[in-house]
Amino acid sequence: MEVVKSLHNSDLKWMIIWVTVIGNFISMLDSTTVNIALYEISKSLNEPVTAVQWVVVSYMLILTVFLPFFGKLSGICPRNKLYASGFLIFSFGSLLSFLSHSLPMLIASRCIEAFGASILVSNALSIIASMFKGKNRGKALGMNGAIVAFGSMSGPALAGVLINYFGWNTVFLPGCIISFIAAILSYRLIPAYHPPVVDSKFDYKGFLYFTVFLFSLLTTISQGHVWGWESGKIKILVLLFIISTIMFIVRELKVSYALVDFALFKIKSFTLGNIALNLSYWGVFGIGITFPLYAQKVIGLSPMITGFIVLTFSVSLILTAPVAGSIAGKKGSKYLTLGGGIMFTLALILFSSLNETAPVWKMIAAELMMGVGNGLFQSPSNMGILSEVDTKHLGVAGGMLALARNTGMIMGIAVAINILEILLSYFTAAAVSNPFLSAYQYTVRFLAVFAIICTVFAYFAYKNEKVNA
């Protein structure tokens, strides 16, 4: 194939990277545009918000569950065909979401979208890492991290405009159009070759245990307050979680073609770095779903104004992340991740101080700090995690890194919503003057605690790192 023969061409490489990054961009864009639309969807379909939240949760759950599966396929299937199929499936699911007029159809359509998004997210990092080394890899990963975050946090701004002028269904159109065009480009540009694998067997039992484990965990967290923590449903889910976790670990340690390569966890930077990365997204997505509710319910801002405030995060992150990634490629990740962790912890503390009279500039300042902090943290963290992984394991490592990131997103959303609802009930019963504001403030303080823990893990992950320029 002519494209493969021309890979020495730097311009072509960066063109391929841009096509690859689009996959992460639209998957994250689509996962967050719905945050602003949830209230309108609830009114339009006459469904409670507790039911409508599954439009977000089901997407993130399906996307995450299939990451190890498609990470494995990256070493078996031609990359261009696999990536192009991800775009096409995503485009089809987005079209069905746009056409949905009932909650069950919308949730089913979102699951189709997520299936395609999982193909894209699980393969993007391995494609990027296989094409660059040293500072160029850091720069490429930094660009990827910036675009991912830009997609995830600019979603509310775009959704606010679309909902305001055209209705909630239209939030799914950008992903539909962009992914269809990207399918053609990725098939033509991305190299078809793939690294040789020793064994192409897939661990279906491990995949089943992992699916049950993640579904039971997420459902317990998101529905515990609704069903009651002492209810029979929750007890069954907790039991399923414990059993499936044990069976998954035992299975993965026993088979030679494991879904998750536990040998990678012997690398300190890989293990601690993934934990830190996971916890960082608790704060990003926790505040990403609670701040719009605060801005609209407490301050009374429109969805469009709220979206543009959130856009500050994206702009600051996209300007910071590529620079941080490039520096990490030359100087290492230790100080960048430490500074970034401290910065977004302070941002969460500032978010928690917002009240019913908070000026818009203070909200923008908090979003700005959050964006810079995550820009300093995310791309150097990706660089540090993958830097000590052998090339032949990059596909699996990239899938596991995406798994850590997406479980962090899911946990951030589920935990934040659950704590907010619990505290709202408590402060309402206690006759607090503004129960929602108090619930929001304490929820964000809880997220700040995990941001501190994230920073500690990141420090120890890269404390003794070796830099290969």
Side-chain angles (χ1 to χ4, degrees):
M1 187 174 180
E2 192 64 32
V3 171
V4 178
K5 294 179 182 179
S6 304
L7 276 179
H8 66 277
N9 187 301
S10 179
D11 292 338
L12 179 59
K13 280 189 175 183
W14 285 106
M15 188 183 298
I16 294 170
I17 294 303
W18 273 110
V19 174
T20 304
V21 165
I22 289 173
N24 273 337
F25 170 74
I26 63 167
S27 63
M28 293 301 104
L29 176 73
D30 198 80
S31 69
T32 54
T33 50
V34 182
N35 289 350
I36 297 294
L38 285 180
Y39 182 64
E40 293 296 325
I41 293 173
S42 177
K43 288 196 303 180
S44 176
L45 301 181
N46 195 28
E47 296 280 358
V49 176
T50 51
V52 172
Q53 73 167 320
W54 279 93
V55 174
V56 176
V57 174
S58 63
Y59 176 92
M60 295 303 298
L61 177 62
I62 296 298
L63 189 158
T64 304
V65 162
F66 282 95
L67 285 174
F69 175 75
F70 291 119
K72 182 79 171 182
L73 282 187
S74 68
I76 302 172
C77 300
R79 284 175 176 165
N80 62 334
K81 292 182 180 179
L82 183 62
Y83 216 66
S85 68
F87 277 123
L88 287 175
I89 294 170
F90 187 91
S91 181
F92 179 64
S94 298
L95 179 61
L96 291 179
S97 296
F98 169 70
L99 297 173
S100 295
H101 294 289
S102 69
L103 186 59
M105 181 180 178
L106 180 57
I107 293 175
S109 301
R110 291 282 288 167
C111 289
I112 294 173
E113 281 186 79
F115 192 79
S118 189
I119 298 175
L120 302 173
V121 172
S122 62
N123 285 278
L125 285 176
S126 62
I127 293 174
I128 293 171
S130 67
M131 297 183 67
F132 291 102
K133 293 183 179 180
K135 64 180 182 181
N136 283 332
R137 178 185 284 182
K139 184 179 179 181
L141 289 173
M143 185 178 76
N144 177 74
I147 296 300
V148 168
F150 182 75
S152 65
M153 298 309 290
S154 62
L158 177 61
V161 174
L162 291 174
I163 294 167
N164 191 66
Y165 293 105
F166 306 107
W168 66 264
N169 300 71
T170 57
V171 300
F172 301 106
L173 281 181
C176 178
I177 297 169
I178 294 171
S179 57
F180 182 77
I181 296 171
I184 299 172
L185 293 174
S186 60
Y187 181 77
R188 290 179 176 271
L189 291 176
I190 295 176
Y193 70 90
H194 54 76
V197 290
V198 176
D199 195 337
S200 60
K201 292 181 180 179
F202 183 73
D203 183 15
Y204 292 100
K205 286 187 178 180
F207 177 70
L208 174 62
Y209 301 150
F210 175 75
T211 303
V212 175
F213 145 74
L214 194 60
F215 179 80
S216 57
L217 173 63
L218 179 61
T219 307
T220 299
I221 293 173
S222 60
Q223 298 297 111
H225 179 62
V226 179
W227 294 341
W229 294 103
E230 297 295 325
S231 68
K233 292 180 181 178
I234 294 299
K235 290 178 180 178
I236 292 173
L237 285 170
V238 170
L239 183 62
L240 278 175
F241 167 72
I242 295 172
I243 294 174
S244 60
T245 301
I246 295 172
M247 294 180 72
F248 176 70
I249 294 173
V250 172
R251 171 71 181 179
E252 297 305 283
L253 291 173
K254 185 170 62 175
V255 298
S256 59
Y257 48 96
L259 192 68
V260 173
D261 188 355
F262 281 99
L264 290 173
F265 290 109
K266 294 178 181 178
I267 304 172
K268 188 184 74 170
S269 61
F270 182 86
T271 303
L272 299 183
N274 270 296
I275 294 173
L277 188 71
N278 177 278
L279 292 174
S280 72
Y281 279 96
W282 284 46
V284 173
F285 275 73
I287 199 66
I289 201 165
T290 54
F291 174 76
L293 294 174
Y294 155 81
Q296 294 175 77
K297 284 180 173 289
V298 178
I299 304 297
L301 299 178
S302 68
M304 188 164 64
I305 297 299
T306 301
F308 278 113
I309 292 174
V310 174
L311 187 61
T312 306
F313 171 96
S314 305
V315 173
S316 58
L317 189 147
I318 201 170
L319 292 174
T320 306
V323 177
S326 182
I327 295 173
K330 294 181 287 186
K331 303 294 184 180
S333 305
K334 178 170 61 175
Y335 295 111
L336 289 166
T337 52
L338 180 62
I342 293 172
M343 177 71 80
F344 66 69
T345 299
L346 294 174
L348 287 169
I349 293 173
L350 181 57
F351 272 116
S352 72
S353 71
L354 299 176
N355 54 31
E356 58 269 275
T357 60
V360 171
W361 70 261
K362 193 173 183 180
M363 302 177 204
I364 293 174
E367 294 284 359
L368 179 66
M369 289 177 62
M370 195 73 178
V372 172
N374 276 275
L376 293 173
F377 184 88
Q378 300 298 343
S379 50
S381 183
N382 290 337
M383 181 73 181
I385 291 170
L386 295 176
S387 61
E388 295 188 29
V389 177
D390 292 338
T391 303
K392 64 181 179 179
H393 292 135
L394 280 175
V396 176
M400 291 170 69
L401 191 153
L403 178 64
R405 181 179 67 223
N406 283 275
T407 51
M409 294 175 184
I410 293 175
M411 294 298 291
I413 293 170
V415 169
I417 290 177
N418 202 51
I419 292 176
L420 188 69
E421 289 182 348
I422 292 173
L423 291 175
L424 182 59
S425 298
Y426 172 78
F427 287 122
T428 300
V432 174
S433 59
N434 194 330
F436 185 87
L437 174 62
S438 297
Y440 161 79
Q441 290 174 331
Y442 279 96
T443 299
V444 178
R445 288 167 191 164
F446 177 85
L447 296 174
V449 172
F450 280 89
I452 294 172
I453 298 172
C454 158
T455 306
V456 173
F457 270 103
Y459 172 75
F460 285 105
Y462 315 118
K463 184 179 179 181
N464 301 313
E465 68 177 339
K466 296 178 181 179
V467 182
N468 297 313

